[in-house]
Amino acid sequence: RLQLAESGGGSGESGASLTLFCAASGAKYPSYYMAWFRQAPGKSREEEREGIAAIDIYGNVYYANSVKDRFTISRGHAAHTVFLQMGALEPEDTGTYFCAADEGRAQSRELVPTYNYWGQGVVVTVSG
């Protein structure tokens, strides 16, 4: 079974930058759809995770309007790794960030939290 591990969470002030990293192990396929989701403080259900950024197996990227032009998702040089570069952070970006992966996704479902595989999450705190 695919397992995901995130790293890079932390704290920063408004305007700061942080980079999150996710590595998958146990892969059966050459490539997976991968995405980042954010869960706001006080929310615990998987359905309440907001899709932030996704990259499909063709290299197309997708962003939530709230982070477009501030965040960048990219694949690492190592197989099954993905970065989320976050810039111009705002207090509203505070939350737990989850890496997710799936073998396939229907069109327009890239930012919907129904992925098959999830990491444990890392916390990002942005102070104003």
Side-chain angles (χ1 to χ4, degrees), residues 41-89:
K43 297 187 176 181
S44 59
R45 294 185 301 150
E46 196 170 286
E47 310 89 81
E48 295 175 311
R49 295 174 183 174
E50 176 191 7
I52 295 300
I55 185 165
D56 66 21
I57 59 175
Y58 308 106
N60 299 310
V61 295
Y62 308 87
Y63 295 100
N65 288 334
S66 60
V67 305
K68 198 172 293 184
D69 299 327
R70 296 191 298 123
F71 290 12
T72 302
I73 187 171
S74 61
R75 292 190 184 273
H77 292 298
H80 311 300
T81 60
V82 66
F83 290 94
L84 182 67
Q85 296 172 281
M86 305 186 294
L89 285 166

Short mmCIF file of all heavy atoms in Angstrom, two decimals, residues 41-89:
data_model
loop_
_atom_site.label_atom_id
_atom_site.label_comp_id
_atom_site.label_asym_id
_atom_site.label_seq_id
_atom_site.Cartn_x
_atom_site.Cartn_y
_atom_site.Cartn_z
N PRO A 41 -7.84 24.77 11.64
CA PRO A 41 -7.96 24.40 13.05
C PRO A 41 -9.41 24.21 13.47
O PRO A 41 -10.28 24.98 13.06
CB PRO A 41 -7.32 25.60 13.78
CG PRO A 41 -6.39 26.18 12.79
CD PRO A 41 -7.05 26.00 11.46
N GLY A 42 -9.66 23.18 14.26
CA GLY A 42 -11.02 22.92 14.72
C GLY A 42 -11.82 22.00 13.82
O GLY A 42 -12.91 21.58 14.19
N LYS A 43 -11.30 21.70 12.65
CA LYS A 43 -11.99 20.80 11.75
C LYS A 43 -11.24 19.47 11.73
O LYS A 43 -10.01 19.45 11.72
CB LYS A 43 -12.08 21.39 10.34
CG LYS A 43 -12.89 22.67 10.29
CD LYS A 43 -13.11 23.14 8.87
CE LYS A 43 -14.02 24.36 8.87
NZ LYS A 43 -14.28 24.85 7.50
N SER A 44 -11.99 18.37 11.74
CA SER A 44 -11.34 17.08 11.86
C SER A 44 -11.74 16.06 10.79
O SER A 44 -11.05 15.08 10.57
CB SER A 44 -11.63 16.47 13.24
OG SER A 44 -13.04 16.33 13.41
N ARG A 45 -12.83 16.31 10.09
CA ARG A 45 -13.28 15.32 9.12
C ARG A 45 -12.52 15.44 7.81
O ARG A 45 -12.20 16.55 7.37
CB ARG A 45 -14.78 15.47 8.88
CG ARG A 45 -15.64 15.12 10.09
CD ARG A 45 -17.10 15.17 9.73
NE ARG A 45 -17.48 16.48 9.24
CZ ARG A 45 -18.45 16.69 8.34
NH1 ARG A 45 -19.11 15.67 7.84
NH2 ARG A 45 -18.75 17.91 7.97
N GLU A 46 -12.26 14.34 7.20
CA GLU A 46 -11.52 14.33 5.95
C GLU A 46 -12.22 15.15 4.89
O GLU A 46 -11.57 15.81 4.06
CB GLU A 46 -11.34 12.88 5.47
CG GLU A 46 -10.28 12.70 4.40
CD GLU A 46 -9.97 11.25 4.15
OE1 GLU A 46 -9.30 10.62 4.99
OE2 GLU A 46 -10.43 10.73 3.10
N GLU A 47 -13.54 15.16 4.91
CA GLU A 47 -14.31 15.92 3.92
C GLU A 47 -14.11 17.43 4.07
O GLU A 47 -14.46 18.19 3.18
CB GLU A 47 -15.81 15.62 4.04
CG GLU A 47 -16.14 14.14 4.07
CD GLU A 47 -16.12 13.60 5.49
OE1 GLU A 47 -17.12 13.78 6.21
OE2 GLU A 47 -15.08 13.00 5.85
N GLU A 48 -13.61 17.83 5.25
CA GLU A 48 -13.43 19.26 5.52
C GLU A 48 -12.06 19.76 5.08
O GLU A 48 -11.71 20.91 5.32
CB GLU A 48 -13.62 19.53 7.01
CG GLU A 48 -15.05 19.27 7.50
CD GLU A 48 -15.17 19.43 9.00
OE1 GLU A 48 -14.34 18.85 9.73
OE2 GLU A 48 -16.09 20.14 9.44
N ARG A 49 -11.31 18.90 4.45
CA ARG A 49 -9.99 19.33 3.97
C ARG A 49 -10.16 20.09 2.65
O ARG A 49 -10.87 19.64 1.75
CB ARG A 49 -9.08 18.11 3.79
CG ARG A 49 -8.77 17.42 5.11
CD ARG A 49 -7.99 16.14 4.93
NE ARG A 49 -7.79 15.50 6.23
CZ ARG A 49 -7.23 14.31 6.40
NH1 ARG A 49 -6.77 13.63 5.36
NH2 ARG A 49 -7.10 13.80 7.61
N GLU A 50 -9.48 21.21 2.59
CA GLU A 50 -9.56 22.08 1.40
C GLU A 50 -8.43 21.72 0.44
O GLU A 50 -7.26 21.71 0.84
CB GLU A 50 -9.45 23.54 1.82
CG GLU A 50 -9.41 24.52 0.66
CD GLU A 50 -9.03 25.93 1.11
OE1 GLU A 50 -8.66 26.11 2.28
OE2 GLU A 50 -9.11 26.85 0.26
N GLY A 51 -8.77 21.46 -0.79
CA GLY A 51 -7.76 21.21 -1.80
C GLY A 51 -6.99 22.47 -2.11
O GLY A 51 -7.59 23.49 -2.45
N ILE A 52 -5.68 22.43 -1.97
CA ILE A 52 -4.83 23.60 -2.17
C ILE A 52 -4.14 23.54 -3.51
O ILE A 52 -4.14 24.51 -4.27
CB ILE A 52 -3.79 23.69 -1.04
CG1 ILE A 52 -4.49 23.93 0.29
CG2 ILE A 52 -2.79 24.79 -1.33
CD1 ILE A 52 -5.30 25.20 0.34
N ALA A 53 -3.51 22.43 -3.80
CA ALA A 53 -2.76 22.31 -5.05
C ALA A 53 -2.68 20.84 -5.43
O ALA A 53 -2.64 19.97 -4.55
CB ALA A 53 -1.37 22.90 -4.90
N ALA A 54 -2.64 20.59 -6.72
CA ALA A 54 -2.53 19.21 -7.20
C ALA A 54 -1.71 19.18 -8.47
O ALA A 54 -1.63 20.18 -9.20
CB ALA A 54 -3.92 18.62 -7.46
N ILE A 55 -1.10 18.03 -8.71
CA ILE A 55 -0.34 17.83 -9.95
C ILE A 55 -0.71 16.45 -10.49
O ILE A 55 -0.71 15.46 -9.74
CB ILE A 55 1.17 18.00 -9.72
CG1 ILE A 55 1.94 17.90 -11.03
CG2 ILE A 55 1.71 17.01 -8.68
CD1 ILE A 55 3.39 18.40 -10.92
N ASP A 56 -1.07 16.41 -11.76
CA ASP A 56 -1.50 15.12 -12.29
C ASP A 56 -0.30 14.38 -12.91
O ASP A 56 0.83 14.88 -12.89
CB ASP A 56 -2.66 15.29 -13.27
CG ASP A 56 -2.30 16.04 -14.54
OD1 ASP A 56 -1.10 16.11 -14.89
OD2 ASP A 56 -3.23 16.56 -15.19
N ILE A 57 -0.57 13.23 -13.44
CA ILE A 57 0.52 12.40 -13.94
C ILE A 57 1.13 12.96 -15.23
O ILE A 57 2.17 12.48 -15.67
CB ILE A 57 0.06 10.95 -14.15
CG1 ILE A 57 -1.09 10.89 -15.16
CG2 ILE A 57 -0.33 10.30 -12.82
CD1 ILE A 57 -1.52 9.48 -15.50
N TYR A 58 0.48 13.96 -15.83
CA TYR A 58 0.98 14.59 -17.05
C TYR A 58 1.75 15.87 -16.75
O TYR A 58 2.27 16.50 -17.67
CB TYR A 58 -0.18 14.90 -18.00
CG TYR A 58 -1.06 13.69 -18.24
CD1 TYR A 58 -2.31 13.60 -17.65
CD2 TYR A 58 -0.62 12.64 -19.03
CE1 TYR A 58 -3.11 12.49 -17.83
CE2 TYR A 58 -1.41 11.52 -19.23
CZ TYR A 58 -2.66 11.46 -18.62
OH TYR A 58 -3.44 10.36 -18.80
N GLY A 59 1.78 16.26 -15.48
CA GLY A 59 2.46 17.48 -15.10
C GLY A 59 1.58 18.71 -15.04
O GLY A 59 2.06 19.81 -14.74
N ASN A 60 0.30 18.56 -15.30
CA ASN A 60 -0.61 19.70 -15.17
C ASN A 60 -0.82 20.00 -13.69
O ASN A 60 -0.90 19.10 -12.86
CB ASN A 60 -1.96 19.37 -15.81
CG ASN A 60 -1.83 19.09 -17.30
OD1 ASN A 60 -1.22 19.86 -18.03
ND2 ASN A 60 -2.38 17.97 -17.73
N VAL A 61 -0.92 21.28 -13.38
CA VAL A 61 -1.08 21.69 -11.98
C VAL A 61 -2.41 22.42 -11.79
O VAL A 61 -2.93 23.03 -12.72
CB VAL A 61 0.09 22.58 -11.51
CG1 VAL A 61 1.39 21.79 -11.52
CG2 VAL A 61 0.20 23.82 -12.38
N TYR A 62 -2.92 22.34 -10.59
CA TYR A 62 -4.22 22.90 -10.25
C TYR A 62 -4.09 23.57 -8.88
O TYR A 62 -3.44 23.03 -7.98
CB TYR A 62 -5.28 21.79 -10.19
CG TYR A 62 -5.30 20.93 -11.42
CD1 TYR A 62 -4.45 19.83 -11.53
CD2 TYR A 62 -6.14 21.22 -12.49
CE1 TYR A 62 -4.44 19.04 -12.67
CE2 TYR A 62 -6.14 20.42 -13.63
CZ TYR A 62 -5.28 19.34 -13.71
OH TYR A 62 -5.27 18.57 -14.84
N TYR A 63 -4.71 24.73 -8.74
CA TYR A 63 -4.62 25.48 -7.49
C TYR A 63 -5.98 25.98 -7.04
O TYR A 63 -6.83 26.32 -7.87
CB TYR A 63 -3.70 26.69 -7.66
CG TYR A 63 -2.26 26.34 -7.94
CD1 TYR A 63 -1.75 26.39 -9.24
CD2 TYR A 63 -1.41 25.94 -6.91
CE1 TYR A 63 -0.43 26.06 -9.50
CE2 TYR A 63 -0.09 25.61 -7.17
CZ TYR A 63 0.39 25.67 -8.47
OH TYR A 63 1.70 25.35 -8.71
N ALA A 64 -6.14 26.07 -5.73
CA ALA A 64 -7.30 26.76 -5.19
C ALA A 64 -7.10 28.25 -5.42
O ALA A 64 -5.96 28.75 -5.40
CB ALA A 64 -7.43 26.47 -3.70
N ASN A 65 -8.18 28.97 -5.62
CA ASN A 65 -8.08 30.42 -5.85
C ASN A 65 -7.38 31.12 -4.68
O ASN A 65 -6.69 32.11 -4.88
CB ASN A 65 -9.47 31.01 -6.06
CG ASN A 65 -10.05 30.63 -7.40
OD1 ASN A 65 -9.32 30.35 -8.36
ND2 ASN A 65 -11.37 30.59 -7.49
N SER A 66 -7.55 30.58 -3.49
CA SER A 66 -6.99 31.24 -2.30
C SER A 66 -5.47 31.22 -2.27
O SER A 66 -4.86 32.00 -1.54
CB SER A 66 -7.54 30.58 -1.03
OG SER A 66 -7.19 29.20 -0.99
N VAL A 67 -4.85 30.35 -3.04
CA VAL A 67 -3.39 30.24 -2.99
C VAL A 67 -2.74 30.48 -4.35
O VAL A 67 -1.50 30.50 -4.45
CB VAL A 67 -2.93 28.87 -2.45
CG1 VAL A 67 -3.56 28.60 -1.10
CG2 VAL A 67 -3.23 27.76 -3.43
N LYS A 68 -3.55 30.66 -5.37
CA LYS A 68 -2.99 30.86 -6.71
C LYS A 68 -2.07 32.07 -6.69
O LYS A 68 -2.36 33.10 -6.08
CB LYS A 68 -4.14 31.07 -7.70
CG LYS A 68 -3.76 30.87 -9.15
CD LYS A 68 -4.99 30.90 -10.03
CE LYS A 68 -5.90 29.72 -9.78
NZ LYS A 68 -7.06 29.70 -10.70
N ASP A 69 -0.95 31.98 -7.35
CA ASP A 69 0.08 33.02 -7.44
C ASP A 69 0.90 33.15 -6.18
O ASP A 69 1.83 33.97 -6.12
CB ASP A 69 -0.53 34.40 -7.78
CG ASP A 69 -1.23 34.40 -9.13
OD1 ASP A 69 -0.77 33.67 -10.03
OD2 ASP A 69 -2.23 35.11 -9.26
N ARG A 70 0.58 32.38 -5.13
CA ARG A 70 1.40 32.40 -3.91
C ARG A 70 2.06 31.05 -3.65
O ARG A 70 3.16 30.99 -3.11
CB ARG A 70 0.54 32.76 -2.70
CG ARG A 70 -0.06 34.15 -2.75
CD ARG A 70 -0.68 34.53 -1.40
NE ARG A 70 -1.76 33.64 -1.00
CZ ARG A 70 -1.77 32.95 0.15
NH1 ARG A 70 -0.75 33.04 1.00
NH2 ARG A 70 -2.79 32.18 0.45
N PHE A 71 1.39 29.97 -4.02
CA PHE A 71 1.90 28.63 -3.76
C PHE A 71 2.26 27.96 -5.08
O PHE A 71 1.64 28.21 -6.12
CB PHE A 71 0.84 27.77 -3.06
CG PHE A 71 0.54 28.15 -1.64
CD1 PHE A 71 0.99 29.34 -1.08
CD2 PHE A 71 -0.23 27.31 -0.84
CE1 PHE A 71 0.70 29.68 0.23
CE2 PHE A 71 -0.53 27.64 0.47
CZ PHE A 71 -0.06 28.83 1.00
N THR A 72 3.25 27.07 -5.02
CA THR A 72 3.66 26.32 -6.20
C THR A 72 3.84 24.85 -5.84
O THR A 72 4.57 24.53 -4.89
CB THR A 72 4.97 26.86 -6.78
OG1 THR A 72 4.81 28.25 -7.11
CG2 THR A 72 5.36 26.10 -8.03
N ILE A 73 3.20 23.98 -6.58
CA ILE A 73 3.38 22.55 -6.40
C ILE A 73 4.30 22.04 -7.51
O ILE A 73 4.20 22.48 -8.66
CB ILE A 73 2.02 21.79 -6.41
CG1 ILE A 73 2.22 20.32 -6.06
CG2 ILE A 73 1.32 21.94 -7.76
CD1 ILE A 73 0.92 19.56 -5.84
N SER A 74 5.20 21.15 -7.15
CA SER A 74 6.12 20.60 -8.15
C SER A 74 6.57 19.22 -7.71
O SER A 74 6.58 18.91 -6.51
CB SER A 74 7.32 21.52 -8.35
OG SER A 74 8.04 21.66 -7.14
N ARG A 75 6.96 18.43 -8.66
CA ARG A 75 7.49 17.10 -8.34
C ARG A 75 9.00 17.21 -8.08
O ARG A 75 9.68 18.01 -8.72
CB ARG A 75 7.22 16.13 -9.48
CG ARG A 75 5.75 15.80 -9.64
CD ARG A 75 5.54 14.66 -10.62
NE ARG A 75 4.13 14.40 -10.85
CZ ARG A 75 3.39 13.59 -10.10
NH1 ARG A 75 3.93 12.95 -9.08
NH2 ARG A 75 2.10 13.42 -10.38
N GLY A 76 9.47 16.40 -7.16
CA GLY A 76 10.89 16.35 -6.89
C GLY A 76 11.61 15.50 -7.92
O GLY A 76 11.00 14.84 -8.74
N HIS A 77 12.93 15.55 -7.87
CA HIS A 77 13.71 14.73 -8.80
C HIS A 77 13.56 13.24 -8.48
O HIS A 77 13.57 12.41 -9.37
CB HIS A 77 15.19 15.13 -8.73
CG HIS A 77 15.45 16.50 -9.27
ND1 HIS A 77 15.20 16.83 -10.59
CD2 HIS A 77 15.92 17.62 -8.68
CE1 HIS A 77 15.52 18.10 -10.79
NE2 HIS A 77 15.95 18.60 -9.63
N ALA A 78 13.43 12.92 -7.20
CA ALA A 78 13.21 11.53 -6.82
C ALA A 78 11.77 11.14 -7.16
O ALA A 78 10.86 11.96 -7.08
CB ALA A 78 13.46 11.34 -5.33
N ALA A 79 11.58 9.91 -7.53
CA ALA A 79 10.25 9.46 -7.91
C ALA A 79 9.29 9.55 -6.73
O ALA A 79 9.68 9.35 -5.58
CB ALA A 79 10.32 8.01 -8.40
N HIS A 80 8.07 9.89 -7.02
CA HIS A 80 6.98 9.92 -6.03
C HIS A 80 7.24 10.89 -4.90
O HIS A 80 6.94 10.61 -3.74
CB HIS A 80 6.75 8.50 -5.48
CG HIS A 80 6.63 7.46 -6.54
ND1 HIS A 80 5.66 7.49 -7.51
CD2 HIS A 80 7.39 6.37 -6.80
CE1 HIS A 80 5.82 6.48 -8.32
NE2 HIS A 80 6.86 5.77 -7.93
N THR A 81 7.83 12.02 -5.24
CA THR A 81 8.00 13.10 -4.26
C THR A 81 7.37 14.37 -4.81
O THR A 81 7.32 14.57 -6.02
CB THR A 81 9.48 13.37 -3.93
OG1 THR A 81 10.17 13.75 -5.12
CG2 THR A 81 10.14 12.13 -3.34
N VAL A 82 6.92 15.21 -3.91
CA VAL A 82 6.29 16.45 -4.35
C VAL A 82 6.54 17.53 -3.31
O VAL A 82 6.62 17.26 -2.12
CB VAL A 82 4.77 16.24 -4.57
CG1 VAL A 82 4.06 15.94 -3.26
CG2 VAL A 82 4.14 17.41 -5.28
N PHE A 83 6.73 18.76 -3.80
CA PHE A 83 6.95 19.91 -2.95
C PHE A 83 5.73 20.83 -3.01
O PHE A 83 5.01 20.86 -4.00
CB PHE A 83 8.16 20.71 -3.43
CG PHE A 83 9.48 20.04 -3.22
CD1 PHE A 83 10.04 19.27 -4.23
CD2 PHE A 83 10.17 20.19 -2.03
CE1 PHE A 83 11.27 18.65 -4.05
CE2 PHE A 83 11.40 19.58 -1.85
CZ PHE A 83 11.95 18.82 -2.85
N LEU A 84 5.56 21.60 -1.95
CA LEU A 84 4.63 22.71 -1.97
C LEU A 84 5.38 23.93 -1.45
O LEU A 84 5.70 24.01 -0.26
CB LEU A 84 3.38 22.46 -1.11
CG LEU A 84 2.36 23.58 -1.14
CD1 LEU A 84 1.72 23.69 -2.53
CD2 LEU A 84 1.28 23.39 -0.08
N GLN A 85 5.70 24.83 -2.36
CA GLN A 85 6.38 26.07 -1.97
C GLN A 85 5.30 27.10 -1.67
O GLN A 85 4.48 27.41 -2.54
CB GLN A 85 7.29 26.55 -3.09
CG GLN A 85 8.44 25.59 -3.39
CD GLN A 85 9.21 25.99 -4.63
OE1 GLN A 85 8.78 25.74 -5.76
NE2 GLN A 85 10.34 26.61 -4.43
N MET A 86 5.32 27.62 -0.47
CA MET A 86 4.31 28.57 -0.02
C MET A 86 4.96 29.92 0.21
O MET A 86 5.92 30.02 0.99
CB MET A 86 3.65 28.06 1.27
CG MET A 86 3.08 26.65 1.13
SD MET A 86 2.16 26.12 2.59
CE MET A 86 3.48 26.04 3.80
N GLY A 87 4.44 30.94 -0.44
CA GLY A 87 4.98 32.27 -0.29
C GLY A 87 3.89 33.24 0.14
O GLY A 87 2.69 32.95 0.07
N ALA A 88 4.31 34.40 0.61
CA ALA A 88 3.38 35.44 1.04
C ALA A 88 2.32 34.86 1.98
O ALA A 88 1.11 35.09 1.80
CB ALA A 88 2.73 36.12 -0.16
N LEU A 89 2.79 34.12 2.96
CA LEU A 89 1.85 33.43 3.86
C LEU A 89 0.97 34.43 4.61
O LEU A 89 1.41 35.53 4.98
CB LEU A 89 2.62 32.56 4.84
CG LEU A 89 3.18 31.26 4.25
CD1 LEU A 89 4.20 30.63 5.19
CD2 LEU A 89 2.06 30.28 3.95
#
